[in-house]
Amino acid sequence: MVGSPNADAPSVPTAANGEPSKTKENGPVAAAQGRKPRQKRPNYNEIHSKPLPLVVYPLPAFIPHNPISLVRIAITLLSQSFWPPSSHHVTHKAYFSEETQSIHVTDPKAIRALWEQGFWGSGSLSRSEPQWLVQEKRKRGVQAITTAEEVTRKRREERRQFKLERAKAQREAIEQQLREEGKLDAETNLEELVENGSVTESPRGTYYPSDTGVPIGEVAVPTGGSLMDQVEDKLADAAPVIDPEVRDEEHLQLTFEEAFFLTYVLGILDIYHGDNILDSRSLLRLGCTQSDFPTEPSSSLVRHSIEPDNHFMLKYVVFHHFRSLGWVVRPGIKFACDYLLYLRGPAFTHAEFAIMIIPAYSDPYWSATSARAEACKAKSQRDWWWLHRLNRVQTQVHKTLLLIYVEVPPPWDGCAKEDKEVDVGDVLKRYHVREFVWRRWSPNRNRD
């Protein structure tokens, strides 16, 4: 039997239509195996599993066709009624800074806990999440697994500086060797010998005498190699040194609204002003005095009464309202608004709503006199150009504009006349919030 010329060649698998089938050797599987594996993303559902920095004890699930589930629920209710578990396992510490007019959290564990459990605050050296330490380690090459493009650029620069220092050290060694041999005066350098023709420089930077073909750098040094030891010391000093220990210089920066909510509502934050811990009343006055410009010194917190339309009061009422509804409220200065509303947080989705706060003076107290009515009208009135500009910005960033009208109550703080404390709960009950969704009307999209 006569064999074909390709009898010894390996056969290629074919499909039913006669075309070569896509196997691991010649198909997309081989191409996929040759690709560089992508870096695994963090599991944000596990990292941000808690919406608030509290410990919650849920009841067992109720199963209609299983009567034992009712017994489990009853036992859990009775046990938690007689021995109530604590939801505040950790109380974090923060410090008030008059320079930045904000609250600082410096403990790394508290920073991670507050960010991962509700997205509170922002990193002082980062855009949002405190990631300065990780980025700094990447820049210095400590974390080689996740080296970015800037690390490669930095290493190239260090390598270039190393070569320059090495060439300089070799040049100094050659000049000293020529001076010891009497071929170079003390006032003459190597460039003058090259110009005179007594020394030839190769394209690679090696110097040769004109009478011999032996490189100058390969001539033995009669001093036992002390000159080369100096060269090696200079090269070692020029080598890049990477310090694995990077000090974390970033802190978490909380706004007054976030700090007051964590202190008054949740009770998991202690704010220090000097050596004293601020209670909710003192923190309320501190936020009101620091919200206006120019700010008043912290020593005068109890001397002036709080205006009902104070900027901090209006912002906190709105912040408290949406945080209580389950929204993640973040500052919206980047999008020319007061707040941004996230359904779960910045790590999951973009913000859906942009909030703009407008004070409303509908109480009869504000229209009792003409002067008071004119002053309130100037504070709350907005023109159409302002509204169109704001809505135009939010449309470009794909967010829905939400106008929040806060009903301002009559003056409630009488501490300047009477020596009494402010009831924070009673004060917050005086404010009311009205929500209005504003969308641009387009004839092509809003036809009947």
Side-chain angles (χ1 to χ4, degrees), residues 114 252 263-264 366 394 406 417:
L114 291 176
L252 188 69
T263 303
Y264 173 72
W366 302 110
Q394 306 309 323
V406 180
K417 300 179 181 179

Side-chain angles (χ1 to χ4, degrees), residues 134-343:
V134 178
Q135 296 176 1
E136 191 67 18
K137 288 183 178 180
R138 291 179 181 177
K139 291 180 181 179
R140 300 189 183 187
V142 177
Q143 295 182 352
I145 300 178
T146 57
T147 301
E149 184 179 356
E150 56 268 17
V151 180
T152 304
R153 190 183 307 111
K154 182 179 180 180
R155 288 181 176 177
R156 289 177 180 175
E157 181 65 22
E158 291 176 351
R159 194 180 301 113
R160 189 180 68 85
Q161 293 293 335
F162 170 75
K163 291 181 179 179
L164 292 177
E165 293 292 336
R166 182 179 59 184
K168 182 180 178 181
Q170 292 177 353
R171 195 182 194 87
E172 293 176 355
I174 292 172
E175 290 181 357
Q176 185 173 354
Q177 180 180 344
L178 292 177
R179 290 190 180 96
E180 292 178 356
E181 295 177 356
K183 299 180 180 180
L184 187 64
D185 298 336
E187 299 178 355
T188 308
N189 53 17
L190 201 58
E191 285 80 0
E192 296 180 1
L193 295 180
V194 175
E195 294 177 359
N196 297 334
S198 57
V199 176
T200 305
E201 181 181 4
S202 67
R204 300 181 61 181
T206 306
Y207 295 92
Y208 295 87
S210 301
D211 52 353
T212 62
V214 181
I216 297 178
E218 296 182 0
V219 179
V221 182
T223 57
S226 60
L227 181 60
M228 298 306 297
D229 293 338
Q230 297 178 5
V231 175
E232 294 294 335
D233 294 339
K234 291 184 178 180
L235 295 180
D237 295 338
V241 179
I242 298 177
D243 186 10
E245 297 294 335
V246 182
R247 180 183 176 184
D248 191 3
E249 300 179 359
E250 186 178 28
H251 61 267
L252 188 69
Q253 193 167 336
L254 298 173
T255 62
F256 274 99
E257 294 81 16
E258 294 174 329
F260 191 80
F261 191 89
L262 292 172
T263 303
Y264 173 72
V265 179
L266 301 182
I268 53 96
L269 186 66
D270 290 339
I271 301 177
Y272 287 82
H273 187 197
D275 297 333
N276 302 324
I277 300 179
L278 298 176
D279 56 0
S280 58
R281 299 183 182 91
S282 301
L283 187 60
L284 180 67
R285 295 193 178 278
L286 181 62
C288 292
T289 54
Q290 297 294 321
S291 61
D292 297 330
F293 186 83
T295 59
E296 299 179 2
S298 58
S299 59
S300 62
L301 296 181
V302 296
R303 298 179 183 177
H304 302 282
S305 60
I306 301 175
E307 297 295 333
D309 57 350
N310 185 274
H311 189 62
F312 169 75
M313 292 301 305
L314 299 180
K315 293 192 67 176
Y316 178 75
V317 167
V318 177
F319 183 90
H320 185 104
H321 172 71
F322 286 103
R323 266 290 183 177
S324 302
L325 295 177
W327 292 91
V328 176
V329 186
R330 300 286 298 168
I333 187 173
K334 185 169 61 175
F335 297 101
C337 61
D338 292 322
Y339 287 123
L340 294 175
L341 293 185
Y342 293 85
L343 185 60

